[in-house]
Amino acid sequence: PDIHLTLAGRCNEDMQDYIKTHAGDMIDNIHFAGIILPELLPAFASKFDVGIAIELFVPLNRNICLTNKIFTYLLAGNAIILSETAMQLAFNKKWQVGQSIAVNNKNELVQKIKFYKDLNILNAQKTFNYKLSKEHLNWDEESKKILAVIK
């Protein structure tokens, strides 16, 4: 009951009804924020502790890419729960930004959310991720790689 889920982005009425139907007693803990302007996303996300980056294996692109939400969560200083798609698994193995779960495994998701209820673990991960975004995983650093290729 002390965990809240805020969903940002487009969520049509049918999906909201589906979520409300399956949420049961937890419906008061689920919040629909709607669409947040891209430039406001990091500040919005910084109000929360954990970002959830759940992807599927299909379409293929979702298995081999990193979505913007991961970088938003890093800039916001969130701990991250990632699905074990090929790219997210490799990214988390290299950078250790959070906890990975098997795709479509709700029990693992519950375990990882509970894992972050330990405030020492949560705060250490949040601090690490924020520092990582400031020192390495940001446009100022990544743009140097693109400029080197162009040269």
Side-chain angles (χ1 to χ4, degrees):
D2 58 334
I3 295 172
H4 289 257
L5 175 65
T6 298
L7 301 169
R10 185 174 291 118
C11 187
N12 67 32
E13 205 171 300
D14 288 342
M15 180 54 77
Q16 286 188 31
D17 289 343
Y18 177 85
I19 291 169
K20 290 173 184 175
T21 299
H22 289 83
D25 295 340
M26 299 305 294
I27 190 59
D28 291 338
N29 296 50
I30 300 174
H31 314 281
F32 299 95
I35 296 173
I36 309 296
L37 295 173
E39 62 270 18
L40 301 178
L41 273 172
F44 177 78
S46 71
K47 299 176 192 176
F48 307 102
D49 293 315
V50 179
I52 300 176
I54 303 296
E55 301 296 341
L56 301 173
F57 294 120
V58 291
L60 176 61
N61 185 52
R62 287 294 188 224
N63 190 37
I64 61 173
C65 77
L66 295 173
T67 57
N68 290 338
K69 66 184 118 190
I70 291 172
F71 299 98
T72 297
Y73 297 148
L74 290 171
L75 287 169
N78 300 134
I80 305 174
I81 297 174
L82 309 95
S83 49
E84 292 180 348
T85 58
M87 189 57 70
Q88 287 188 358
L89 195 59
F91 181 78
N92 196 37
K93 184 176 181 181
K94 179 176 181 176
W95 295 104
Q96 300 295 305
V97 298
Q99 297 291 306
S100 295
I101 63 167
V103 174
N104 281 332
N105 189 323
K106 66 181 179 184
N107 293 328
E108 278 190 52
L109 178 58
V110 169
Q111 289 173 349
K112 300 304 179 180
I113 291 170
K114 288 179 178 179
F115 174 79
Y116 281 127
K117 287 188 74 166
D118 181 321
L119 292 181
N120 291 324
I121 293 170
L122 174 66
N123 290 330
Q125 186 70 64
K126 289 173 67 173
T127 300
F128 176 82
N129 286 358
Y130 184 74
K131 184 177 179 187
L132 189 62
S133 75
K134 292 301 176 196
E135 295 176 2
H136 300 287
L137 299 176
N138 60 65
W139 178 245
D140 291 336
E141 292 300 314
E142 293 298 311
S143 65
K144 293 174 186 174
K145 296 174 187 176
I146 293 173
L147 292 174
V149 169
I150 293 171
K151 286 182 183 181

